[in-house]
């Protein structure tokens, strides 16, 4: 398969429009279209690496070599280590109460699911989060055992974050808008809510909705400024959104205040 067609296939698989893909590369939609139709060739190694980074695959995949995406082995090893820890959780958690144990176990399952999402393993993500959800029902919302804030709402927010990692912006947006209507959303610590709103901003950006991406970032900054000011990923997100001329001036002011614009 020609490299341009391979780029098109992987872009569609990541549910990215040509315009969204072009924006992430800092290129025009016309440039992407020409690459995918093989009107223009891809010869520079640096460009191939940039495309691979946006598509979250190894550059060798774009070149047609049969290799696993970068980091998959490490991610799977990370999930395996969490699974191993969970197999001995009664000993590891000592005298914790039943709900505390379930909260800790569920939080570890959520972290394993996010690791799997970064590796692109959507089936494992689903299995891990379903297992976490079953524990969350028993724990319930409104608790903060061992500062985990684990419960049904926390699992729903994890599904949003996982969808973002898998590149499914529209699904992440739909889940986010449903999750923040739950009673459990209001009971979460403000830091957890702000961290989720940063994930939601990424989801809106993937869905080409810059206005809402800016809106939820500003909301996160209002309720927990430190989450925006001290998280490199959040600062990068503010900088990216602020570059668009159509976003509200408040996001531009935030970017200037953070020193990222």
């Amino acid at each position: 398969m020609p490299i341009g067609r391979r780029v098109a296939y992987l872009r569609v698989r990541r549910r990215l429009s040509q315009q969204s893909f072009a924006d992430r590369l800092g290129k025009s939609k016309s440039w992407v279209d020409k690459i995918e139709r093989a009107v223009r060739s891809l010869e520079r190694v640096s460009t191939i690496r940039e495309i691979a980074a946006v598509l979250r695959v190894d550059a060798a995949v774009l070149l047609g070599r049969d290799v696993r995406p970068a980091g998959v082995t490490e991610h799977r090893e990370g999930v395996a280590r969490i699974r191993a820890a969970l197999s001995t959780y009664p000993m590891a958690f000592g005298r914790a109460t039943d709900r505390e144990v379930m909260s800790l176990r569920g939080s570890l399952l959520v972290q394993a699911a996010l690791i799997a999402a970064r590796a692109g393993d959507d089936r494992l993500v689903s299995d891990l989060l379903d297992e976490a959800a079953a524990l969350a029902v028993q724990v319930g919302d409104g608790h903060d055992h061992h500062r985990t804030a684990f419960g049904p709402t926390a699992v729903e927010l994890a599904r949003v974050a996982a969808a973002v990692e898998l590149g499914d912006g529209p699904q992440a947006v739909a889940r986010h808008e449903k999750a923040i209507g739950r009673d459990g959303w209001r009971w979460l610590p403000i830091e957890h809510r702000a961290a989720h709103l940063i994930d939601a901003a990424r989801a809106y950006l993937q869905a080409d909705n810059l206005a809402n991406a800016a809106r939820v970032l500003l909301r996160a900054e209002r309720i927990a400024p430190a989450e925006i000011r001290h998280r490199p990923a959040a600062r990068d997100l503010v900088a990216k959104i602020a570059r668009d001329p159509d976003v509200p001036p408040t996001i531009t002011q935030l970017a200037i205040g953070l020193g990222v614009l």
Side-chain angles (χ1 to χ4, degrees):
M1 185 185 294
I3 188 170
R5 286 180 58 192
R6 194 171 293 111
V7 168
Y9 167 77
L10 291 168
R11 173 183 61 76
V12 172
R13 188 177 177 183
R14 285 292 181 194
R15 296 180 174 87
L16 293 172
S17 66
Q18 282 190 336
Q19 185 63 63
S20 179
F21 184 49
D23 290 344
R24 295 184 186 199
L25 289 170
K27 303 287 187 181
S28 67
K29 181 181 177 182
S30 173
W31 183 90
V32 171
D33 183 64
K34 288 177 181 177
I35 291 295
E36 294 184 347
R37 291 189 294 113
V39 174
R40 182 171 185 156
S41 61
L42 271 177
E43 297 176 352
R44 296 181 60 183
V45 175
S46 60
T47 303
I48 292 172
R49 286 176 177 167
E50 288 173 8
I51 291 173
V54 171
L55 295 173
R56 298 211 297 274
V57 298
D58 195 277
V61 173
L62 291 181
L63 296 173
R65 299 170 189 166
D66 187 16
V67 297
R68 288 181 178 179
V72 167
T73 300
E74 291 80 0
H75 284 134
R76 288 180 177 172
E77 288 174 353
V79 173
R81 284 194 292 271
I82 290 176
R83 282 288 198 190
L86 287 171
S87 68
T88 58
Y89 77 92
M91 292 185 293
F93 299 152
R95 296 183 178 180
T97 66
D98 288 346
R99 280 191 174 184
E100 289 174 341
V101 168
M102 287 189 287
S103 295
L104 290 167
R105 179 180 173 84
S107 296
L108 284 172
L109 287 168
V110 165
Q111 292 307 311
L114 295 179
I115 292 172
R118 294 181 192 114
D121 194 336
D122 53 351
R123 180 175 296 181
L124 181 56
V125 170
S126 179
D127 289 345
L128 289 166
L129 288 179
D130 286 348
E131 190 175 345
L135 292 171
V137 169
Q138 300 178 67
V139 174
D141 278 325
H143 306 288
D144 193 15
H145 299 300
H146 293 289
R147 297 181 180 273
T148 62
F150 181 75
T153 299
V155 175
E156 288 306 306
L157 301 188
R159 293 189 192 278
V160 174
V164 171
E165 293 295 344
L166 291 167
D168 193 344
Q171 182 188 126
V173 166
R175 286 189 175 278
H176 155 72
E177 293 177 349
K178 184 177 180 180
I180 61 173
R182 300 170 64 108
D183 288 338
W185 167 254
R186 299 191 297 274
W187 298 335
L188 289 171
I190 57 173
E191 294 82 4
H192 288 239
R193 279 182 277 157
H196 169 73
L197 291 172
I198 293 169
D199 288 332
R202 293 175 60 202
Y204 280 119
L205 192 61
Q206 288 180 359
D208 297 323
N209 190 334
L210 283 172
N212 272 327
R215 177 181 60 80
V216 294
L217 270 181
L218 290 169
R219 184 178 175 188
E221 200 274 336
R222 283 196 302 272
I223 65 174
E227 292 295 314
I228 296 294
R229 298 179 183 280
H230 303 306
R231 283 195 179 203
R235 291 167 62 89
D236 291 345
L237 194 58
V238 171
K240 183 180 294 185
I241 293 173
R243 292 191 191 103
D244 190 280
D246 296 327
V247 296
T250 44
I251 200 74
T252 305
Q253 293 166 7
L254 175 60
I256 293 171
L258 294 175
V260 296
L261 190 66

